[in-house]
Amino acid sequence: MKRILALCLLCVFCVTSTTHAQKRNKRKKKGVPEKVEKTENKEKKDKKDIKDYKDVVTKEAVTDSGLFQVHRVKKTYLYEIPFNVLEKDMLWVSRIAQIPSGLGGGFFNAGTKTNEQVVHWQRFQNKILLKVKSYRNVADSTKAISNSVRVNNYEPTLYAFDIKAFNEDSTAVVVDVTKLFSTDVKAISGLPSFLRKQYKVKRLDASRSFINSVKSYPLNIEVKQDFTYDASEPPTARSTESISLQMNQSMILLPEEPMQPRISDPRVGFFTVSQYDYGSDALKADEKTYIERWRLEPKDPEAYARGELVEPVKPIVYYLDPGTPENLQKYIKQGIEDWQKPFETAGFKNAIIAKDAPSPEEDPEFSPEDIRYSVVRYVASTTRNAVGPSVSDPRSGEIIESDIIWYHNHLRSYRNRYLLETGAANPSARTLNTPDEEIGEMMRMVIAHEVGHALGFPHNMAASYAYDVESYRDGAFTQENGIAASLMDYARYNYIAQPGDQNIRFVRQMGPYDHYAVNWGYRWLPNAKTPEAELATLNKWIVEKADNPVYKYGRQSSRFDPQSQTEGIGNDPIKASTYGLKNLRYVAQNLPAWTSDQTNNYQDLEELYGELLGVYSRYVGHVVTNIGGVYENLKNPDQSGVVYTHLDKNAQQESMQWLQENLFKTQDWLADASILQNIDHAGYFERMRRVQSRYLNGLLSFDRIGRLIDAETINQEYYSAYEMLSQLRKGLWSEASRGQSVDIYRRNLQKSYVDRMQFLMTDDGPPRRRGRPGFESTFVYDTNTSDIKSLVRGELTTLRSILRNAKNGNVNRITKYHYQDVIARIDALLDPK
């Protein structure tokens, strides 16, 4: 009986086991492992989260149609994204729409761009990803290497959204973007990390932050956000411990077919975009650099080909900020449309147009932040500046939109410099109330300059070197040519013209280089179907003009090049600065009469005296650049001559002598007691020391001395580092050689010299080049193995010997003390034991 019972139990167990095994085998036969079954269950659950369209976009929804349909359901914002725009490139631009006073130290304003990035929307399972895309590394998609480029440049995900619904015909997907625009997403925030640190920002306060509006247009979507941050040290209204600002997020669909790019040439100045092309036939990652420019194509290509002026299909239009003062509007419009003439040189008429902003009745949706509009923004700010930024398509360099920023107090900068730099030869500048037409003309030229940046042009600092110094005293020449060959130079005023010179133009204007550069960058070349096909024509245009200095481009970053100097004019810095200082002495003598005597207070006198020191400093700086100066004349190998040429020895020696006379010798005219004793109770000698020490340190820099040493490897006859240091020492310490007492200004300067020489003896020099690639200006080398420390030791040893004799001479007591102190400092440096 027991045996029968056991047998029955065994049969039941076998049947049960077989049943379970059969079920498992069935699953295996169907290819559905247990893990997959769990995944399927999860997917079923996820699909339940995708609701019917009508349950997401409810009857309460307020819909705005455009690039995407945007739905607002109470406080929720939904994007209905068509499948046919997924993976398409869009430019996302973040701007400040409203800003608290003082944020960013005055250089942030309504209209400031805080970020620019290419994005695309991508589907992944039941999510939509907002991906940030880079065109820095590229390859033709038909080549195998494009896969390597893709996997080695994985795109960051800016945000991930759950799919909420599909539209009724399943051609679009609906996502909730409320959190994207109501939380603190750093990549689109108006507060960069350095400002967060400066103002001790703790967090975004969600209770005081909200989406202001979301508007959809055919090619773009514009979002306004109001953000309030908790901050321990806000720039203004500190008791609130808060920073509130309004951001505008613009997203615009980039052209399906990018504009044909134009390959950059460093001999013509343009802002650029660069890519590394890994699909190139070159045996490297081939860097390709394209100029930034607007897309201008002729309405009538046949007429354009015949040489007729033709309007572009889409002109460049700038709108005036609705807040622009009425009395300045005409000058801003003139500054914008001054570029029409250079565009005519390129074959286009009415290529750039200024318009008033539409009224709310004419266009209730117009907004300066809308990326469809380029605007000259007028900023109520005490900042003295103007800028011309733009946004461009990184695939081609096509400029999509730009805003010119004019800060209100910039007018005061131009009034002050007009008085200081031209007042000696220009009677109408000798006032605090500059005539309206003259200040308007200055503003017009500044606006035109900033528009030039927005058209793609950087500063051309060689343009003012194109004209002979004496030409600036010729009325007919200045009226025709202005004061530089390009408006894009930092050459604001004619400070060379002397009292009695007639019919002088003192303010800059458009020049021949501007016409040349517009033609080079914007002329339409229909027969060239690729960027490479344009190169022969573009090179030919450059070579044709290469020997004419008015068509030379000089990079702003070339601090070593006497031809390319900020705020300089004329082709001889010594002669130009001599004229400039002669005029500045006249202005200094008359400054109280033109300011405090008229206003019965000293505020303007103090302000203008401080700026006068700045003008003096610039004139001096232009001559300093000659020491160790290297001319940079960019050219290709098929052009004759070399790119870099050292300034000749005589010119450098003459420059050092000029500096001894006009910088290091005490400038009594700058220490006018009738000014100093009315603007401050102290600090008179320190003002002078700062100016003198700035340029003394510049002369005694590793960079400059290194270039002088380097010049000896090219030609032993060049001005050497030893000759420069010897000439400098003899001039700075001339009282010791002549047995004279030393005044307070010179004592300060001489101690500054010893401090700087100590720096050269003990520091290892800059660790790396400064600046962007291709724009380096600091020469980096091993200072310990160079001649620098040997030269410094030799100079200090010689100086110590001279001072040991001089301290026992017929000099006053403070000079003796001064020499004893300097000797002790040198002893401590050379013989520390």
Side-chain angles (χ1 to χ4, degrees):
M1 189 71 186
K2 288 181 179 179
R3 187 176 294 176
I4 294 171
L5 181 61
L7 184 62
C8 290
L9 290 172
L10 180 63
C11 290
V12 171
F13 175 77
C14 289
V15 170
T16 305
S17 299
T18 302
T19 303
H20 283 293
Q22 286 174 345
K23 285 182 179 179
R24 281 199 301 271
N25 287 337
K26 270 186 179 180
R27 300 179 78 81
K28 286 179 181 177
K29 284 178 184 178
K30 289 181 181 179
V32 186
E34 290 182 37
K35 286 184 179 179
V36 173
E37 183 182 25
K38 290 179 181 179
T39 302
E40 287 175 349
N41 290 336
K42 183 177 184 302
E43 287 179 356
K44 287 178 182 178
K45 181 179 181 300
D46 289 343
K47 285 181 180 177
K48 289 180 182 178
D49 293 335
I50 300 177
K51 300 178 181 179
D52 289 341
Y53 183 79
K54 60 183 175 58
D55 294 330
V56 177
V57 183
T58 65
K59 292 180 180 180
E60 295 178 303
V62 178
T63 299
D64 189 15
S65 297
L67 176 63
F68 301 165
Q69 288 213 75
V70 174
H71 309 287
R72 179 169 58 83
V73 181
K74 297 181 180 177
K75 294 183 179 181
T76 299
Y77 287 87
L78 306 169
Y79 276 4
E80 185 174 323
I81 307 172
F83 287 133
N84 63 7
V85 298
L86 290 178
E87 304 287 354
K88 290 193 175 180
D89 291 338
M90 301 182 187
L91 191 66
W92 189 301
V93 181
S94 303
R95 295 186 193 276
I96 298 174
Q98 296 192 56
I99 188 171
S101 174
L103 186 77
F107 289 96
F108 279 64
N109 54 266
T112 291
K113 176 179 67 177
T114 59
N115 200 7
E116 174 184 339
Q117 53 199 328
V118 175
V119 301
H120 60 167
W121 301 78
Q122 184 182 95
R123 184 176 178 182
F124 174 72
Q125 297 177 358
N126 289 331
K127 289 184 179 292
I128 294 295
L129 308 180
L130 180 59
K131 306 284 282 186
V132 177
K133 189 172 184 179
S134 170
Y135 277 92
R136 183 61 175 162
N137 300 304
V138 299
D140 188 326
S141 61
T142 63
K143 296 186 176 183
I145 198 172
S146 65
N147 183 64
S148 181
V149 171
R150 178 178 57 81
V151 299
N152 286 287
N153 293 272
Y154 188 61
E155 300 166 353
T157 300
L158 184 64
Y159 212 89
F161 307 88
D162 293 326
I163 293 175
K164 297 297 182 184
F166 297 99
N167 69 345
E168 292 173 349
D169 60 1
S170 297
T171 60
V173 63
V174 179
V175 296
D176 183 348
V177 296
T178 310
K179 282 190 176 180
L180 171 65
F181 293 116
S182 61
T183 55
D184 191 16
V185 179
K186 299 293 195 304
I188 61 174
S189 165
L191 282 181
S193 58
F194 76 93
L195 287 184
R196 291 170 185 259
K197 183 177 180 181
Q198 178 181 346
Y199 300 128
K200 297 185 178 178
V201 173
K202 301 172 186 175
R203 66 184 180 92
L204 179 72
D205 185 346
S207 68
R208 293 182 288 167
S209 302
F210 51 88
I211 300 171
N212 187 292
S213 65
V214 182
K215 296 181 179 179
S216 188
Y217 302 98
L219 294 177
N220 62 303
I221 295 176
E222 304 293 327
V223 180
K224 273 196 170 65
Q225 312 154 279
D226 276 84
F227 282 166
T228 294
Y229 294 88
D230 288 332
S232 299
E233 297 182 6
T236 52
R238 293 204 163 194
S239 62
T240 66
E241 294 195 354
S242 301
I243 295 175
S244 293
L245 72 159
Q246 189 180 84
M247 290 296 298
N248 190 91
Q249 309 294 342
S250 295
M251 186 184 72
I252 186 168
L253 182 67
L254 288 172
E256 190 79 26
E257 283 293 324
M259 177 186 73
Q260 178 170 300
R262 179 156 293 179
I263 296 173
S264 170
D265 192 306
R267 295 170 293 176
V268 185
F270 271 88
F271 294 123
T272 60
V273 296
S274 295
Q275 301 174 349
Y276 283 105
D277 183 1
Y278 285 85
S280 167
D281 292 334
L283 300 177
K284 62 176 182 178
D286 193 8
E287 186 173 24
K288 294 182 177 178
T289 303
Y290 305 124
I291 66 172
E292 293 186 6
R293 57 176 181 159
W294 295 79
R295 188 191 293 238
L296 287 187
E297 298 166 340
K299 282 183 179 178
D300 186 342
E302 293 179 358
Y304 187 91
R306 293 194 299 268
E308 298 175 23
L309 290 180
V310 176
E311 290 187 343
V313 173
K314 184 180 179 182
I316 303 163
V317 178
Y318 278 95
Y319 293 90
L320 266 63
D321 190 319
T324 305
E326 293 80 359
N327 64 316
L328 300 176
Q329 292 177 8
K330 71 174 182 177
Y331 302 114
I332 294 175
K333 290 179 180 178
Q334 288 170 346
I336 295 167
E337 296 188 347
D338 277 338
W339 284 97
Q340 287 188 355
K341 289 295 182 184
F343 275 111
E344 288 177 8
T345 302
F348 294 100
K349 68 178 179 181
N350 299 324
I352 184 166
I353 300 167
K355 290 185 177 181
D356 292 322
S359 67
E361 292 74 27
E362 293 169 328
D363 185 354
E365 293 191 325
F366 176 85
S367 168
E369 286 78 35
D370 189 333
I371 202 167
R372 294 177 298 165
Y373 304 114
S374 294
V375 180
V376 179
R377 305 291 297 260
Y378 197 96
V379 180
S381 167
T382 58
T383 299
R384 298 186 186 183
N385 198 18
V387 293
S390 61
V391 296
S392 61
D393 184 343
R395 304 171 302 173
S396 64
E398 179 185 356
I399 297 173
I400 304 297
E401 177 267 358
S402 82
D403 282 344
I404 309 302
I405 312 296
W406 174 275
Y407 297 87
H408 180 71
N409 268 26
H410 205 34
L411 290 169
R412 193 173 185 88
S413 296
Y414 278 82
R415 181 207 70 174
N416 289 359
R417 290 190 55 178
Y418 193 53
L419 184 152
L420 294 169
E421 295 185 29
T422 77
N426 180 13
S428 67
R430 301 168 188 169
T431 176
L432 297 174
N433 299 308
T434 310
D436 290 345
E437 284 299 317
E438 292 178 42
I439 201 72
E441 175 70 3
M442 296 173 216
M443 184 179 195
R444 171 183 178 178
M445 292 301 114
V446 181
I447 291 294
H449 177 95
E450 301 306 335
V451 169
H453 287 319
L455 296 175
F457 303 118
H459 293 129
N460 177 5
M461 294 308 186
S464 55
Y465 200 84
Y467 299 154
D468 184 80
V469 169
E470 293 300 329
S471 298
Y472 289 88
R473 301 189 61 187
D474 183 332
F477 180 90
T478 59
Q479 291 297 337
E480 181 180 352
N481 299 284
I483 60 174
S486 172
L487 188 68
M488 301 314 296
D489 200 330
Y490 264 1
R492 304 171 205 268
Y493 295 114
N494 180 353
Y495 59 77
I496 289 173
Q498 298 293 295
D501 294 343
Q502 299 296 313
N503 193 34
I504 299 295
R505 180 174 176 87
F506 290 99
V507 180
R508 59 183 168 178
Q509 64 183 25
M510 202 74 70
Y513 173 87
D514 301 313
H515 289 256
Y516 161 70
V518 169
N519 183 72
W520 190 92
Y522 280 92
R523 180 163 285 278
W524 190 55
L525 300 174
N527 296 325
K529 303 303 182 185
T530 66
E532 290 74 18
E534 297 182 335
L535 290 177
T537 299
L538 298 174
N539 183 64
K540 177 174 175 286
W541 290 344
I542 294 173
V543 172
E544 286 174 348
K545 307 287 190 184
D547 294 329
N548 191 333
V550 302
Y551 301 112
K552 174 179 166 57
Y553 169 63
R555 302 188 293 184
Q556 181 178 359
S557 60
S558 298
R559 295 183 302 156
F560 53 82
D561 186 356
Q563 300 169 115
S564 301
Q565 299 207 64
T566 300
E567 311 288 357
I569 58 174
N571 62 355
D572 184 339
I574 293 177
K575 186 183 286 188
S577 290
T578 299
Y579 276 132
L581 289 185
K582 186 177 179 182
N583 284 337
L584 203 58
R585 284 187 177 91
Y586 180 90
V587 171
Q589 291 170 1
N590 290 279
L591 200 56
W594 298 346
T595 58
S596 54
D597 289 358
Q598 304 300 316
T599 62
N600 199 32
N601 67 64
Y602 293 113
Q603 291 178 355
D604 288 290
L605 176 63
E606 181 178 3
E607 180 180 320
L608 280 157
Y609 176 75
E611 293 191 28
L612 183 143
L613 289 178
V615 174
Y616 165 76
S617 178
R618 283 192 291 272
Y619 295 165
V620 167
H622 297 153
V623 180
V624 170
T625 306
N626 280 351
I627 310 296
V630 181
Y631 293 132
E632 180 182 60
N633 295 300
L634 301 173
K635 56 184 65 181
N636 283 354
D638 59 358
Q639 297 174 260
S640 62
V642 297
V643 174
Y644 296 102
T645 306
H646 294 273
L647 195 65
D648 69 84
K649 181 175 183 175
N650 290 337
Q652 295 194 58
Q653 288 177 327
E654 185 183 353
S655 298
M656 180 61 79
Q657 187 56 46
W658 189 94
L659 292 170
Q660 296 287 0
E661 187 65 28
N662 294 282
L663 172 64
F664 298 134
K665 180 181 177 181
T666 300
Q667 304 298 302
D668 294 320
W669 62 277
L670 285 173
D672 187 340
S674 67
I675 296 177
L676 295 178
Q677 289 186 286
N678 285 314
I679 63 174
D680 207 340
H681 74 289
Y684 311 144
F685 65 82
E686 180 62 13
R687 280 188 175 92
M688 183 65 68
R689 188 202 65 81
R690 286 176 184 170
V691 174
Q692 292 177 316
S693 295
R694 173 186 177 186
Y695 290 109
L696 175 64
N697 292 346
L699 287 172
L700 296 175
S701 69
F702 289 110
D703 181 33
R704 195 180 308 273
I705 298 172
R707 292 201 304 271
L708 289 168
I709 295 173
D710 209 46
E712 296 180 59
T713 68
I714 304 297
N715 189 331
Q716 292 291 325
E717 296 303 314
Y718 280 138
Y719 192 52
S720 68
Y722 167 75
E723 289 173 301
M724 187 276 281
L725 291 169
S726 178
Q727 190 178 358
L728 177 62
R729 170 182 48 78
K730 289 174 182 177
L732 287 180
W733 299 89
S734 59
E735 295 93 340
S737 301
R738 296 197 298 264
Q740 296 175 338
S741 297
V742 187
D743 70 31
I744 185 173
Y745 297 104
R746 293 278 288 184
R747 295 196 299 270
N748 291 336
L749 176 62
Q750 289 171 358
K751 289 190 180 77
S752 295
Y753 167 86
V754 176
D755 284 348
R756 187 63 179 181
M757 295 293 269
Q758 179 178 357
F759 169 78
L760 294 175
M761 276 287 289
T762 57
D763 194 84
D764 291 330
R768 60 182 176 82
R769 288 181 183 263
R770 292 193 297 271
R772 301 190 303 277
F775 286 78
E776 296 93 347
S777 59
T778 299
F779 176 35
V780 176
Y781 53 97
D782 187 337
T783 59
N784 286 314
T785 60
S786 75
D787 285 337
I788 281 196
K789 289 177 171 49
S790 305
L791 288 166
V792 172
R793 185 179 296 277
E795 286 299 307
L796 289 177
T797 300
T798 300
L799 176 60
R800 180 170 59 180
S801 177
I802 292 170
L803 296 184
R804 282 172 175 169
N805 292 327
K807 70 181 176 63
N808 298 319
N810 187 25
V811 294
N812 61 20
R813 186 171 298 277
I814 188 61
T815 299
K816 289 180 185 290
Y817 291 166
H818 168 61
Y819 287 161
Q820 290 169 357
D821 178 51
V822 171
I823 291 168
R825 294 186 190 203
I826 296 174
D827 286 343
L829 178 61
L830 299 184
D831 305 307
K833 293 181 181 179

